[in-house]
Amino acid sequence: MPVRILSWNIFNFAKSLWSKAEETTRVLELLHPAGNDPAYDVFVIIEPVCKRAPVGDVAEGSGPDGAVQLLAKLRARHNGRFWRAITPLCIYAKQRKGKGEAVCVLYNSRTVAFVGPDTRVPGGDEWETLTAREGTLHWVDQTTLPHSLVEGELHQGRGAVASFGIDPKSSCIEPATPHLYWMDHRAQGLSRCDLDGANVTQVLSCLSARSPSQCVPAPGVGEVYWVDASTHAIWSTAAPSGASTLRVAGAAAGQPVDLRVAGGQLFWIEGASGSIRRADLDGQNVTDVVSAMGAGGPRDLTVIGGNLAWVATATQSIRALDTVSMTVQDLVLTAVAGTPRSLGAHLHMLYWVDGASGEIRGYDVSSSTAATVVATAGGPAGLLVAPSGLYWDDGNDIHRANLDGSHPGSIIAVGGAPRGLHEGNGVLYWVNPANDIYRANPDGTGQALCVAAADAGQPRWLGTDNARLYWVDAGTARTVRHANLDGSHPDALPAIGGAVCAHSTNGLFWVDGMTGAIWSSALDGTGATLRVSAADAGAPVALAVSDTDLYWADASRQELRAAPLATYVAATCVASADAGQPTSLAVSNRSDKLYWVDGATHTIRQAELDGSTPEDFVEAAAAGQPTCLTVGHDHDFVSWVDSASNELRWTPTGDGDAVQVLVAGAQAGMPGPHRVAPGDSYDPQLLTNVLGGALNWRILNERESCPFLVQFKDLSSGHLFNLVAQHAPSPTYGGTNLNRKARDGVSELLTQDVFDGTDPVTRIVYVGDLNLCGVPNPTTAPECTNDDADGHSLDRGVLQSFTNAPVSMTLVQSAVRSSLKKGRAVWDQYREHAYDNIIAKGHVAAANAHVIDLVAGVLADYRFTKGLGPTDPIADNVFNSKSIFLKIRLGKTSGISDHLPVTADFTY
């Protein structure tokens, strides 16, 4: 899949922009259309204004605040939870009135990963030796990554961030150890790290964050193998613990279809290339065992006698692979096979449906003979070959015949096409149209409901081993479920995705995001145990644990519930009438109080630990819109996040009327779970190196208009690429020096290791706004004849430095004019200079490179509403108004920017 990059110079990119509904909708619909997946993988915002600061410092001010607002709106869209933002740095600090410039980069973490650059960038000891100190406040800032911890001092220069993918509803800080625990949607599990960001460790894997398909149990291994449909990776999950292991990464697996286990190996069809691949059961030694040419368009991969057989659609024949000698042969030629589909096998017999005749045919591998097995099958929709016989459906009933084809007939009236058919351990299983799983004896007698739809979800890909029935729930849960062979005790393999809390002595607790059951383990993730069943837990949305009891907010019963850690017997602690609509929850062992947020009134309430004496603690006016409630470790304060103002607030446990703002929203970002260490001094600042230098932004050279470097990994190909963004102002800003910012900044850029050939990552995408009128030829972007002409000439010289050896980059997008300078605001001449460019190298292909003319769309809408033709003239004063041009072109009270966005797709 190509990496889709959008670059846009938006000088007006500020918090105030997002208070304008029309402008907000226009940007959102460009980046991430409503109801769809993101339209781009990387979005670069050039020139947002920030507070004046030393070059390289973390940027603050209206531009970064705007990035926070945009990120929040993007994350509210379909699959928007994958949007991330890289903390912006100040790249230019010499503007007037205390202003500077930044570059903001947002990205879709589902398709690209922010990975650096890595520690080859010298960071200095000041980045390596930060330690926690008394009186330090830690919190999770959900805006810029959602990413890092807050601690210590803000350092000038290069910095680094840890991109954890934290879900604020599924994270907590255990204050005594201390560790941060979070549900990591990248690593797809429950992870933890020290509060300085070091020692990141996954303590539990998570199934619920993936999209499983093709559930295949491995007999005798105790593992079920499955394909993550979103990443194409192959995983295995142990039952019943739910421990999941990545076996074959998506890049190696390709697009796996028809996953099979044979002879202690994994086999699958690689759907993109048409080859057949194999791997050891532990995922090692992935290789093609049959080339695409040898496979002949394979489908219906099946196992026969430890070997493989499949339908070669290119020739309509059936081919086989000897898994010992790894040789391929045609078993059944086209003249005999007919139009084969639904291939299956038992012992030495292959069976298939001839789609042309509707017959079921067979081939005896031992005697090399073929014959019609069931002549009157009626065009079966699918065929199941089992030790007890042949089974097929006709869209309404399940039919059966003996393996020799005798005694064919209907045995089960389903009432519609069954959505899954499987035989295991002498029992026939199927899914009816209502998503119930049924079971019966092989002859159709003894039909009984096995797993009701309420527990089964939308079951597909049934499978069994010697002890359990497995299936993929293809509904919104997207998980692997299991039950005993008789259907009892249906459950999802433990999935972590709900609330999380931790206790230094009593361990880690979490809510199974699929079932609502509550589990616990040691703080290192070992010993995972079901503690409170889904029926007793209800719908827990928040957890808290004291020295002796577990508490949770049950959204279904609208009450607080509790269970002693000794017995885990659940009971009501605070009834619905007093609990209100409980959301966030915290416990103080020092004051022996239970605190919670009533979501209906936005008050913070309290009660004794046994639930008695419930009362208001902090009134709504002082609390704001509270969430992420916590109690300080070894001190008597309750703190929370006011989600309306993005402030961290607190008050003493004994006085709910003494509320103070602990950290203002501008400093806090979008705060989430937090922890206050003992002490009296609270001076929070952003710690930019929570992984000890493992990930870095980089300012390539400290000049005006400094280039900004980040490094991404294309998750579809696994390749790394460097992204460099730079604002190079127009030549009139350079005075008599004629565009010296672009000239000096870009020329010096070319001496950096990213461009001079010494960087091991040779794939580069450079986005900026050099003034490249007349490049590559004057007919598409004519030469300018005004005072800017000399500046353009200098810029073209800079471009030549890019395209010459040893840099040898390619101009992907620049010749089309992208500037919206107001002086030429007439309907057919509103675009001036060819400012915005994309220059790149190291890609396999570049496509879809163009300027996105937002003005043209507005103009077309206006013409349509007025009944005008495409070339009818429009008066200058009409065009240059908020009705058309100033909807896009930045004005005093409207518009977005004086540049148009540019885009290109890169394949690696």
Side-chain angles (χ1 to χ4, degrees), residues 123-133 136 138 149-156 158-160 194-198 685-693:
D125 291 340
E126 70 271 19
W127 296 107
E128 311 292 338
T129 58
L130 295 171
T131 58
R133 68 178 189 270
T136 299
H138 303 79
L149 302 176
V150 175
E151 173 188 337
E153 298 176 352
L154 177 62
H155 289 263
Q156 177 184 341
R158 303 175 181 91
D194 300 338
L195 288 190
D196 62 358
Q685 295 290 342
L686 184 66
L687 168 66
T688 54
N689 187 22
V690 297
L691 284 186

Side-chain angles (χ1 to χ4, degrees), residues 183-197:
M183 177 58 217
D184 191 331
H185 295 298
R186 290 186 178 181
Q188 300 193 352
L190 188 62
S191 299
R192 77 175 183 185
C193 70
D194 300 338
L195 288 190
D196 62 358

Side-chain angles (χ1 to χ4, degrees), residues 57-137:
D57 270 7
V58 175
E60 297 181 276
S62 60
D65 286 349
V68 170
Q69 297 292 320
L70 175 58
L71 180 64
K73 293 178 183 296
L74 288 171
R75 289 175 66 84
R77 298 215 151 189
H78 174 71
N79 279 333
R81 67 185 184 277
F82 298 103
W83 278 106
R84 303 285 186 269
I86 298 170
T87 302
L89 301 185
C90 181
I91 63 167
Y92 171 45
K94 294 184 179 180
Q95 284 198 1
R96 294 170 296 174
K97 299 181 181 180
K99 298 292 183 65
E101 289 179 11
V103 168
C104 296
V105 180
L106 281 70
Y107 65 97
N108 177 8
S109 64
R110 198 176 192 180
T111 54
V112 294
F114 169 46
V115 295
D118 61 28
T119 51
R120 72 179 182 277
V121 181
D125 291 340
E126 70 271 19
W127 296 107
E128 311 292 338
T129 58
L130 295 171
T131 58
R133 68 178 189 270
E134 295 237 330
T136 299
L137 172 68

Side-chain angles (χ1 to χ4, degrees), residues 246-259:
L246 175 64
R247 295 303 187 185
V248 183
Q255 296 181 14
V257 180
D258 287 350
L259 185 66

Side-chain angles (χ1 to χ4, degrees), residues 48-410:
V49 175
C50 66
K51 294 180 181 178
R52 185 171 180 174
V55 169
D57 270 7
V58 175
E60 297 181 276
S62 60
D65 286 349
V68 170
Q69 297 292 320
L70 175 58
L71 180 64
K73 293 178 183 296
L74 288 171
R75 289 175 66 84
R77 298 215 151 189
H78 174 71
N79 279 333
R81 67 185 184 277
F82 298 103
W83 278 106
R84 303 285 186 269
I86 298 170
T87 302
L89 301 185
C90 181
I91 63 167
Y92 171 45
K94 294 184 179 180
Q95 284 198 1
R96 294 170 296 174
K97 299 181 181 180
K99 298 292 183 65
E101 289 179 11
V103 168
C104 296
V105 180
L106 281 70
Y107 65 97
N108 177 8
S109 64
R110 198 176 192 180
T111 54
V112 294
F114 169 46
V115 295
D118 61 28
T119 51
R120 72 179 182 277
V121 181
D125 291 340
E126 70 271 19
W127 296 107
E128 311 292 338
T129 58
L130 295 171
T131 58
R133 68 178 189 270
E134 295 237 330
T136 299
L137 172 68
H138 303 79
W139 75 86
V140 174
D141 180 356
Q142 306 160 46
T143 57
T144 54
L145 293 176
H147 67 282
S148 61
L149 302 176
V150 175
E151 173 188 337
E153 298 176 352
L154 177 62
H155 289 263
Q156 177 184 341
R158 303 175 181 91
V161 295
S163 184
F164 293 147
I166 295 172
D167 180 347
K169 296 179 181 177
S170 302
S171 54
C172 68
I173 293 178
E174 197 291 298
T177 328
H179 286 106
L180 166 70
Y181 290 85
W182 73 94
M183 177 58 217
D184 191 331
H185 295 298
R186 290 186 178 181
Q188 300 193 352
L190 188 62
S191 299
R192 77 175 183 185
C193 70
D194 300 338
L195 288 190
D196 62 358
N199 300 318
V200 177
T201 306
Q202 187 180 70
V203 295
L204 283 165
S205 61
C206 170
L207 200 58
S208 65
R210 311 185 187 103
S211 300
S213 65
Q214 305 181 54
C215 168
V216 182
V221 179
E223 301 262 342
V224 56
Y225 288 80
W226 49 275
V227 174
D228 180 353
S230 62
T231 65
H232 306 300
I234 299 174
W235 291 74
S236 73
T237 300
S241 70
S244 298
T245 304
L246 175 64
R247 295 303 187 185
V248 183
Q255 296 181 14
V257 180
D258 287 350
L259 185 66
R260 298 289 183 263
V261 176
Q265 301 178 87
L266 287 171
F267 294 89
W268 65 93
I269 294 171
E270 202 287 286
S273 67
S275 64
I276 297 176
R277 291 186 179 175
R278 66 155 299 280
D280 300 337
L281 290 180
D282 62 0
Q284 300 298 308
N285 301 315
V286 178
T287 184
D288 280 348
V289 293
V290 183
S291 68
M293 180 175 293
R299 74 177 186 195
D300 298 338
L301 192 65
T302 192
V303 178
I304 178 168
N307 297 319
L308 296 178
W310 65 92
V311 173
T313 59
T315 58
Q316 294 297 327
S317 62
I318 298 174
R319 298 181 182 178
L321 171 72
D322 185 319
T323 57
V324 176
S325 64
M326 293 297 172
T327 57
V328 177
Q329 61 173 322
D330 273 317
L331 281 184
V332 185
L333 298 179
T334 307
V336 177
T339 306
R341 57 180 173 82
S342 300
L343 190 65
H346 177 63
L347 298 178
H348 52 82
M349 286 292 298
L350 275 173
Y351 300 88
W352 67 94
V353 174
D354 179 3
S357 67
E359 299 174 341
I360 298 175
R361 297 186 179 180
Y363 179 82
D364 190 332
V365 176
S366 62
S367 62
S368 301
T369 57
T372 297
V373 179
V374 181
T376 57
L383 178 65
L384 169 66
V385 180
S388 57
L390 303 175
Y391 299 86
W392 66 95
D393 77 89
D394 62 2
N396 198 60
D397 293 352
I398 296 176
H399 294 251
R400 180 194 176 279
N402 293 331
L403 290 171
D404 62 2
S406 62
H407 303 293
S410 173

